[in-house]
């Protein structure tokens, strides 16, 4: 029950920070909201017990890419009025693409709610998906899937 509420809290923060990324007037604020969105997505990965993906998201995107974006945005002299000139011209295409994305999400969630659900097997104590991922990637066990 606690994990469900925590997921909804992370999801709300992720949606709000994602909206703030695209609506922020200051590019530096947009990058900082993108950092918040990346940390929140990493929290959701942790709730899904995918620790390796959460750490990789933080290290790669927040640790490298976002810092690079932040330095580039701060060093460039961006003329915001010139960037926003094509907004109304591109709005119809953006609405079509957004509508397609909404349709896809409704289809995926509708299939998940009303379709067949896979059974989730409980993990044994001491199980680590990072160790399992390393075992599959760095041992001969991975080649068993290709041969069979």
């Amino acid at each position: 029950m606690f994990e469900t509420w925590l997921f909804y809290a992370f999801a709300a923060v992720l949606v709000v920070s994602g909206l703030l990324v695209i609506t922020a007037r200051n590019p530096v604020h947009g990058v900082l909201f993108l950092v918040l969105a990346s940390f929140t997505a990493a929290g959701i990965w942790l709730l899904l017990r995918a620790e390796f993906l959460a750490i990789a998201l933080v290290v790669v995107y927040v640790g490298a890419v976002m810092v690079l974006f932040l330095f580039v945005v701060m060093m460039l002299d961006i003329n915001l009025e010139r960037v926003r000139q094509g907004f109304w011209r591109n709005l119809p295409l953006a609405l079509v693409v957004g509508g397609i994305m909404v349709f896809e999400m409704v289809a995926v969630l509708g299939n998940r709610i009303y379709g067949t659900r896979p059974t989730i097997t409980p993990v044994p104590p001491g199980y680590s998906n990072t160790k399992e991922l390393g075992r599959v990637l760095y041992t001969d066990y991975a080649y068993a899937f290709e041969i069979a």
Side-chain angles (χ1 to χ4, degrees):
M1 186 65 162
F2 176 71
E3 286 183 359
T4 304
W5 288 105
L6 197 57
F7 171 78
Y8 285 127
F10 279 145
V13 171
L14 186 59
V15 168
V16 169
S17 63
L19 288 172
L20 289 172
V21 167
I22 60 174
T23 59
R25 293 196 180 270
N26 188 343
V28 175
H29 293 159
V31 171
L32 292 175
F33 285 126
L34 195 56
V35 169
L36 175 64
S38 296
F39 271 111
T40 307
I44 292 176
W45 279 115
L46 284 174
L47 284 175
L48 293 172
R49 293 177 181 86
E51 297 89 6
F52 179 76
L53 293 175
I55 296 301
L57 182 78
V58 169
V59 168
V60 172
Y61 286 107
V62 176
V65 176
M66 292 305 151
V67 172
L68 179 68
F69 282 175
L70 189 59
F71 280 126
V72 168
V73 165
M74 290 173 70
M75 293 179 125
L76 292 178
D77 185 24
I78 298 173
N79 186 359
L80 294 177
E81 294 302 322
R82 205 171 126 221
V83 171
R84 292 187 180 136
Q85 282 177 349
F87 176 78
W88 294 108
R89 184 177 40 123
N90 295 325
L91 185 64
L93 178 62
L95 290 175
V96 169
V97 171
I100 291 170
M101 290 171 53
V102 167
F103 171 75
E104 289 174 349
M105 290 304 295
V106 168
V108 167
L109 292 175
N111 184 31
R112 187 170 185 185
I113 293 171
Y114 300 112
T116 60
R117 289 190 183 188
T119 58
I120 298 174
T121 58
V123 295
Y127 176 79
S128 170
N129 64 351
T130 306
K131 185 190 293 185
E132 185 68 22
L133 181 63
R135 188 176 67 79
V136 169
L137 287 176
Y138 299 119
T139 64
D140 291 335
Y141 179 73
Y143 296 111
F145 292 112
E146 294 176 7
I147 296 171

